[in-house]
Every structure is written in C-alpha cells, then in structure tokens.
Amino acid sequence: MHSVPITTTTTRGLHRGLTRRQISMMGLGGAIGAGLFVGSGQAIGMAGPAVLISYLVAGGIVVLVMAMLAEMVAARPSSGAFSSYAQRAMGRSAGSAVGWLYWIQLVVVIAAEATGAAGIVAARMPGIPAWVWVLVFVVALTAVNLFGVRNYGRFEFWFAAIKVAAIIAFLVVGVAAIVGLFPGVPATGIGNLVDNGGFSPNGVAGVAAALLVVMFAFGGTEVVAIAAAESDDPARNIRRIVREVLVRILIFYVGSLFVIVAVLPWNDPAIADGPFSAVLETLRVPGVGLVMDLIVVIALLSAMNANIYGASRMAFSLGERGLAPTAATRTTAKGVPVVAVLASDVSV
C-alpha cells in the first residue's frame, strides 16, 4: 500500500497564544458539562450503582483513543487534528467527511447549549424572553473568540476553574456525609451500593445501556488536540496535557458518581431530575436550586465557548486543505480566523 500525497494542514495565520495550563483546563472544562451534572442521572437509572463500571470502561476507551491522538498531534500539530490525520491516512474524502461531520455536530451542539442556558436563566428571570438570552450568549461568546486565542484561553480557563471547583466541593461534602462528618446528618455509609437490588440490579444489559449515555459525557476532551496546534510547544505539551486531563476527569467522574450512589438509593426518583441537586438537597445544603442552576449555566456556556472555538478551527483547517471556501482561512492581525468563527455562529 502506498501513501497518498496530501498537503498537511498547517497553522499558518494562527497565533500560538495558548499555554499548557489553559489547554489542560479547556480539556477538563469541555468534558465536565451538563452531561455530568444532569445526564448522569439517566445513566444511574439504567445501571444502578454499576454505573461506576460504565464510567470506568468509557474512561478506559477515551484514555486509549486520546493517547494515540496525542502521539499524532505531537508529530504533526494541526488545527484540523483528527480530520487532517484521517485525510493523510485514508484520503481526501475521509478527511472531508470527518471534518465536516465534526463541524456540523458542533454547530448543532452550540445551538442546543445556548438554548439550554437561556431556558434556565429565563426561568429565573421571566421578564426577559429566552430568545434574548440566546442572542446575548451567542454575541458575547463570539466576541470572546474574536478577541484572540490568548484572551479566549483566559476566559475558558476561568470557566473551567469554576466547574472544577464545584466538583471538588461536591466530593468533599459527599465524602463527609458518607463517613459522618457532615453537620447534622448521620453517616450514610456505602450500603446503598449493594442495597435495592444489588450492585448491578439490571445486569450486564444495564451497564451496556448506560455506557451509551456515559460515552456522550466524555465528549469535549478532543478539543485539546485542536487547541494544541496554537500552544507554544505542541509536541512537548500535548502528551502531558492528555495525561493530566484524563486522570483528573476519571477522578472527578468516578468520584462524583460514587458519592451519588453511596448517599442515595440508585432508584430514588430525584436522581433522574438532577443527581447532584438530589444529594445536596438530601444533605439540606441551603440554596441548592440556585447554585446548581448557576453551575449548569456556566457548564453550558463553557462548552459552548469551546465548541465555537473548535468549529472555527476545523473550518479553518478544511479551508486550508481546499475542502471549504478559502475565505475560512482569512485571519485577523491577532490570528483569529474571523470568517470561520462568524460562519460557525451564523449557522447556529
């Protein structure tokens, strides 16, 4: 088999303004979203406490895929990442299909995230229609992406930091409740892991069904492969970033789910509506509803911000390879592919 001669994607016109710490937090922020804060309740309903196995299996798969992707990024940093690698290995059609499908997926998700965040805020502030909030979020985050990759990195860093802090606080409160150190609440222990039908009440079928939901929650980690091309030293940074991000995600995901299924029976109806809120309400933490709404909105906006970035860079890469209009490769003095950013948002 002979290799297909292909022009490798470059990052000509883009600026390398992202630091390793920013990209690491972007990976964490991309994965810690509404899929964990809300969607994990559906996975628990399918598998029971055995949802922990679903998360470990999914995490193992993601670790392997991202480790292999990291090696490719280290060898050939590219704003098109997996799309450009598919093109190099399997030809122009494969690269085009992967790139466009990823771009379309992100555009759809951006719209869903803006709508979800607007719905929560509008419920708290009924005097302003939801569509106004959608417009505000889209305009604001588009502006963030147009100000340059360095400013985008700073903005996304603090978005992700808030979510990470929320997860850490939840783990601390949950562990305190399990061992009996939470004020006014008797120790819950870990009996709920085996009560109510056992550890795996729905058997292997339940674990497999939950796996489909869980895999979706890990979406967002791939943004580090795209962002690495705009870091100061992609070859050296990407391996460390992937290792750090995946270890932390596994700790946060598995740790959070362990706390949920240990503190509450897996079949508690409140888990389906919001597992994190259900635990905090059981522990009588004040202001739970407002706090969780705020965290979910931040999670949605953070993921939306990262997806605008990812969609614009993929469009830029497709334009460089002649798979999208060349206008997508036009950059500002700050190295922002302005046409790609605006096209990604207008398509929403």
Side-chain angles (χ1 to χ4, degrees), residues 12 15 41 48 56 78 81 83 99 108 151 165 179 204-205 223 247 281 286-287 301 323 335:
R12 183 175 58 253
H15 289 184
L56 287 172
S78 165
S83 171
V108 172
N151 290 320
V179 300
V204 176
V223 73
V247 169
E281 286 174 356
L301 295 181
L323 302 174

Side-chain angles (χ1 to χ4, degrees), residues 115-341:
T115 302
I120 295 173
V121 176
R124 290 281 177 181
M125 304 176 67
I128 303 177
W131 69 265
V132 174
W133 289 111
V134 171
L135 182 61
V136 169
F137 295 150
V138 171
V139 171
L141 295 183
T142 298
V144 168
N145 277 268
L146 291 176
F147 286 153
V149 70
R150 188 180 299 275
N151 290 320
Y152 161 79
R154 291 170 181 160
F155 198 88
E156 188 62 20
F157 175 88
W158 290 110
F159 255 160
I162 293 172
K163 292 190 288 185
V164 170
I167 291 290
I168 293 174
F170 179 79
L171 291 176
V172 171
V173 169
V175 171
I178 291 172
V179 300
L181 296 179
F182 195 82
V185 178
T188 62
I190 58 174
N192 283 323
L193 292 175
V194 293
D195 295 338
N196 306 294
F199 179 72
S200 183
N202 297 322
V204 176
V207 174
L211 188 60
L212 298 176
V213 177
V214 171
M215 286 302 300
F216 174 79
F218 280 92
T221 53
E222 77 285 345
V223 73
V224 301
I226 296 174
E230 292 183 78
S231 69
D232 48 6
D233 189 351
R236 186 183 67 179
N237 286 340
I238 188 62
R239 294 187 182 94
R240 294 182 61 185
I241 291 169
V242 168
R243 184 168 59 250
E244 292 172 358
V245 168
L246 293 177
V247 169
R248 292 170 185 171
I249 286 175
L250 282 174
I251 292 173
F252 291 156
Y253 272 41
V254 176
S256 298
L257 269 293
F258 174 81
V259 166
I260 293 168
V261 295
V263 172
L264 294 175
W266 69 271
N267 53 2
D268 189 323
I271 288 180
D273 296 329
F276 286 76
S277 297
V279 169
L280 296 176
E281 286 174 356
T282 297
L283 300 179
R284 297 190 290 276
V285 175
V288 171
L290 178 60
V291 170
M292 287 309 304
D293 279 353
L294 179 61
I295 291 173
V296 172
V297 168
I298 291 174
L300 288 168
L301 295 181
S302 173
M304 180 181 168
N305 195 37
N307 287 334
I308 292 173
Y309 171 84
S312 65
R313 269 43 178 192
M314 185 59 72
F316 173 87
S317 173
L318 289 168
E320 275 198 320
R321 286 176 280 152
L323 302 174
T326 55
T329 63
R330 294 176 185 169
T331 58
T332 65
K334 294 184 178 180
V336 178
V338 58
V339 175
V341 171

Side-chain angles (χ1 to χ4, degrees), residues 82-84 86 90 93-103 314 318:
F82 35 84
S83 171
S84 62
M90 295 179 285
S93 295
S96 177
V98 171
W100 278 111
L101 285 174
Y102 184 69
W103 183 83
M314 185 59 72
L318 289 168

